[in-house]
Amino acid sequence: MAAAKASDLHPQAKVALTYQALVLLGRIDESIARIERALGELAEANRATNA
């Protein structure tokens, strides 16, 4: 499948792959947001410790 060109794919396969890519990007975005929150909490704890 990876070797197939996008133009060779059936239209429904293109839609399915696009949907899967968007779902994956959404999960990546959620993971980044969780990491950012955790880093913010760590920074706050660090500031409180150093204050």
Side-chain angles (χ1 to χ4, degrees):
M1 187 73 175
K5 294 180 184 176
S7 60
D8 295 337
L9 293 175
H10 190 278
Q12 288 178 333
K14 289 180 189 178
V15 170
L17 288 174
T18 301
Y19 175 79
Q20 289 175 356
L22 289 172
V23 168
L24 180 59
L25 287 172
R27 290 179 184 163
I28 291 169
D29 186 54
E30 290 171 2
S31 295
I32 290 170
R34 283 194 300 272
I35 291 167
E36 288 175 338
R37 283 192 299 272
L39 287 173
E41 292 172 6
L42 183 60
E44 283 183 35
N46 189 38
R47 282 191 294 272
T49 301
N50 292 332

